Each structure stands twice: as C-alpha cells, then as structure tokens.
Amino acid sequence: MNLQDFLKLLRSRWITVCVALVIAVIAAVAVTLLTTPLYQASTRLFVSTTSGSSSLAETYQGNRFSQERVKSYSELLMGETLAQRTVDKLGLDISASDLQARVRASSKLDTVLINVSVLDESPVRARDIANTMSDEFVDMVRELETPENGSVPDARVVVEQRASIPREPVVPKTERNIGIGILVGLVIGIGMAVVRDLLDNTVKSREVLEGITEAGIVGSIPLDRERRKQPAIQFEHDNSPIAEGFRKLRTNLQFLAVDNPPRVIVLTSSMPHEGKSTTAINVALALAEAEHNVILVDGDMRRPMLDKYLDLVGPVGFSTVLSGRATLSEALQKTRFPGLTVLTSGAIPPNPSELLGSQASRKLLHELRSAFDYVIVDSTPLLAVTDAAILAAGADGVLIMARFGHTKREQLNQAVASLRSVGAPLLGAVFTFVPVRGRSSYGYGYGSYGYESAQQPDRSGSGRESSPESVEVDAGPIGPVPQQTGRRRLRADPAELNAKDDETSA
C-alpha cells in the first residue's frame, strides 16, 4: 500500500477514525474527571559532614562522604520507618504503607541535595506531611550517625527549604491525558480502518469490476441526492454530473458494436438496492434525448417500480399482454418525456418465470424491437430469482449494475455466472453510487426493492437507500468518443400494432 492508497483509505474510512478518536478523547476526559486531585508539597535537604578541617584534601573527602550518603538517605526517606514516625507525629488516619507510596526522594548526581515530595488530597496536609517528614528525618539521621560514645556524628542533614501550600493539583494531568487519548484514538482508528479495508470484499474499483465481469465499464453514475425525490432526470434542462454520467453511458452504449448495435437491452444487478430501476429509467431518457424512439419495459413482475416512479397505470402492462387479456397497443403508455414509451409490468402473476420464458414473451420483445429504436428492460436481481436470466437470454445484451461499496464480489461473481449459464451476452457493467472527487457527496437513491418485506415507494418516487462513505474512484467511461445524434425513427403506430396482434391471433 503506497501513500496515495493510504490517503484514499483514510478518506473512505474517515468515520471509523473519527469515531475511535472521539471515544478515546471522551475516555481520557472521563478518566481526568474521575481522578481524585492530588497536591504536591516539596522540601529540600542538605547533607554535609561535621569535620571542621579547612584543608583542601579533607574538604574534598568530606564532600565525597556526603555524596555517598545521599543515595542511602534517599532510600531512608522513602522507607516505612520514617513514614510511621510521620504518621505518629501528625496523627494521620492513613497507614504507613499508604504514606510511603506517596513519598518520593530524588537527588542529582554529584550533589549533596535531596528533594523530597509528598502527594496528598489536601494541599495543607501535603505541606504538613512534607515538613514533618523532613524534621523527623533530621532527627533520624542524627540518631543513626551518632557514635555509641556520644561523640559528634560524622554527617548531618539540614532542612534547606521547607514546603509551602501548593496552589494547583499535579494530578490529574489534563493536557497529558487528552494528548494520550488523541494519540491512542488515532492509532486505534487507523488500525480499525486498515483492518476493515482488508476484510472489505465489496466492489470499489474499476479494476475489480472489470476483472469479475470480464467486460468493460460502460458507465459510471455519480451520487445525486435529488434522485431520492425524483428518479427521472430532466435531461433537456439538466447538466449535473449524474446527467452527464448517463449521457456518457448512452454514448458508450451506442458504440459497443457499431456494425450491429444492441437494441434490446436488459438491465439487472446481483442483489436489490443497486440502482437498477433508476438507471433503466435514465438510460432510456438519455437515449430519447438523442432523438431515439425508446420503449422502457418493466420486466420485474414481482416488485414492479416503474409505474410508481413515472406515475403511470400499473395493472395493465407486460403480464396482461402475455396472458392475452390486453393488446400491446392498449398496454403501451406515453410519458411526459418526448420519445419515451413505457410498458409497465402489469398485474403480478403467480408464475412470473414461466410467463417470461414463454414463446409469447420472445415474440413480444421481437415486436417491440421492430417498432422502436431501443428496448430497455428493467428486470429483477439475478440472485433473487431467475427472471432476469430468462429475459437476458432473449435480449441483444445485458448491462449489470454494481453499487460502489455495496455490491459484494462473490455476489457479482454469481450473477455473472448466471448470465453465462444461459448464454446471455454481457455488454458491460455500470458503476452506480460513485462518489465525486472534490465535491460534496451526491445521494443516489432508489425505491426499496425486496420480495418479502420491502415497502412500496410513494408517488414521488422517493428512494429508500443510504449513501456509502465517500471514496475516490477512477471509473470513467470506456473512452472519449464523439456524440452520436442517431436517426429519428417514426413512433410505433397503434393501428399497425393492432394489425400485428390480429395477425398473430389468426
């Protein structure tokens, strides 16, 4: 992992890092607030010899003698004996071992000074303990250093500086605790981000998507929050990044096979909530913008959505035509968008797979192919049911959706294998929900999709999906190609369709 990959990782997992950082800082603040404040009082002791000689050699020997005593005296100052004497002298309500733990004695190398510090909850008691302990230690040294014959001891200790009442507590150290919390939070957060990235098996890069599908990426659809309110894009007035993304998809689609371009195209995905229906709508609208005569077919007879998204009549459509309860001309519905006709799913049948796999379904798609420039079919997810694979087998090609940071690699592998098992030609993959570099995230919502518990979207076509964490991705179109205006075909004539229906019936 190079520096650029690491920065992309932090950008994609910034929520994890921030959450860990906030928790660590809160923990540090909590520890600081719950810690009992302790005050520190300090005294300084001076160790000297009692020799009165003024010769240089004897003075040097006296200093060396005092320095050698300093280390031993420091140990005595932190001993239990002196602590017990201090407790007895002041009548403290703590044990000698507890007081011993609060005392620290230190000295600098080659000096005869000893610094004694005492910690206590009360600043006044800290001062009293430090002064009393120093006085008791002076007496203790006198007792230890005085020879048995009662002569003058060789060394003595003097209290050079007495303790005063401390003003501020030294424990807890607020700044240090918060600093440690920030450091620990960053380390834990970055570590969790790296682990999550290593364990993440979702599709997040162009290379992974192309490697699994063994096909090119024909479109990269950015996030757009407005699609939650209205899935259909007004292309004639919209130059937003998502509108341009669909225009690029349209251009790439038209140049996939110049000699024999696909005209009956099935859009599917591996699982629900991957942007299939909204992509189908806007691919059809983008083709209609280029003056093509387009029909959008709702091939999802289990959870149809196009009638809700486009505010059309749902009960009459694909299934009713296949079952012979309505003619094709009766089921076709014009939309408010020029050049776009819709064949909704119709009434939900008890046997969608058998109906879609019938000869009547193939004939109907062939009839639509002869009457329109493009037939865009919105189908079911491949791993949920077999409907999409059945439709794909009779189409000119299939576009498979992969939602950025949501579609799992094994799911996409299984979906592609399902298409290959029926011999469906895979035209390419479309990356949906792709975040945009250097701009605020675009939410790209779709209606809830499910076969058991999903709720129907309202008439406004509002989606039910959340946006993934923003991550940069290089998932552009196949390559720069010129915009093809295309030829404009005559719209399907209802009388002609009726005649074809009558001929078929006969």
Side-chain angles (χ1 to χ4, degrees), residues 24-25 28-29 31-32 35 172-182:
V25 171
V29 172
V31 169
T32 301
T35 302
K173 299 183 182 298
T174 304
E175 295 181 357
R176 185 193 66 180
N177 291 349
I178 294 178
I180 293 176
I182 292 174

Side-chain angles (χ1 to χ4, degrees), residues 156-401:
R156 66 190 181 95
V157 176
V158 178
V159 181
E160 186 272 332
Q161 178 179 302
R162 301 190 69 80
S164 58
I165 299 176
R167 296 182 179 180
E168 299 292 336
V170 294
V171 175
K173 299 183 182 298
T174 304
E175 295 181 357
R176 185 193 66 180
N177 291 349
I178 294 178
I180 293 176
I182 292 174
L183 180 61
V184 171
L186 287 175
V187 171
I188 294 177
I190 293 174
M192 291 177 61
V194 172
V195 171
R196 285 189 61 188
D197 188 72
L198 293 175
L199 297 178
D200 187 5
N201 65 340
T202 59
V203 179
K204 287 186 176 179
S205 70
R206 179 191 185 103
E207 293 76 17
V208 171
L209 182 55
E210 290 179 339
I212 294 175
T213 60
E214 296 182 1
I217 298 178
V218 298
S220 178
I221 310 303
L223 297 167
D224 187 347
R225 300 189 190 280
E226 290 301 318
R227 301 285 68 76
R228 297 186 178 189
K229 302 175 183 178
Q230 178 53 257
I233 298 174
Q234 299 284 349
F235 281 93
E236 63 271 18
H237 306 300
D238 198 333
N239 293 315
S240 62
I242 188 171
E244 292 303 318
F246 280 112
R247 290 188 179 102
K248 291 178 181 178
L249 193 160
R250 174 191 65 195
T251 302
N252 291 332
L253 191 61
Q254 293 171 335
F255 283 86
L256 284 177
V258 178
D259 295 332
N260 187 24
R263 292 171 53 196
V264 180
I265 303 171
V266 173
L267 273 69
T268 185
S269 61
S270 55
M271 294 295 291
H273 313 299
E274 295 186 0
K276 173 180 54 59
S277 296
T278 300
T279 302
I281 292 173
N282 290 296
V283 166
L285 289 174
L287 290 169
E289 183 197 26
E291 298 186 350
H292 292 291
N293 192 18
V294 183
I295 182 167
L296 177 61
V297 180
D298 194 343
D300 186 351
M301 295 185 183
R302 300 175 187 267
R303 183 65 65 178
M305 292 293 178
L306 296 186
D307 57 322
K308 307 298 187 302
Y309 289 160
L310 299 175
D311 197 18
L312 301 173
V313 177
V316 179
F318 200 1
S319 64
T320 51
V321 174
L322 293 180
S323 62
R325 290 184 292 172
T327 63
L328 179 58
S329 60
E330 292 172 341
L332 294 179
Q333 300 182 56
K334 297 294 183 180
T335 66
R336 65 182 183 275
F337 304 99
L340 178 63
T341 305
V342 176
L343 178 63
T344 60
S345 175
I348 298 177
N351 56 341
S353 297
E354 290 79 1
L355 203 59
L356 292 172
S358 64
Q359 189 65 26
S361 176
R362 291 179 177 270
K363 288 182 179 180
L364 179 58
L365 290 177
H366 180 74
E367 188 175 350
L368 293 175
R369 189 181 193 274
S370 63
F372 294 89
D373 292 339
Y374 286 95
V375 181
I376 306 299
V377 183
D378 176 27
S379 64
T380 59
L382 286 162
L383 301 187
V385 288
T386 60
D387 300 6
I390 294 173
L391 282 171
D396 295 342
V398 182
L399 292 179
I400 188 167
M401 308 296 110

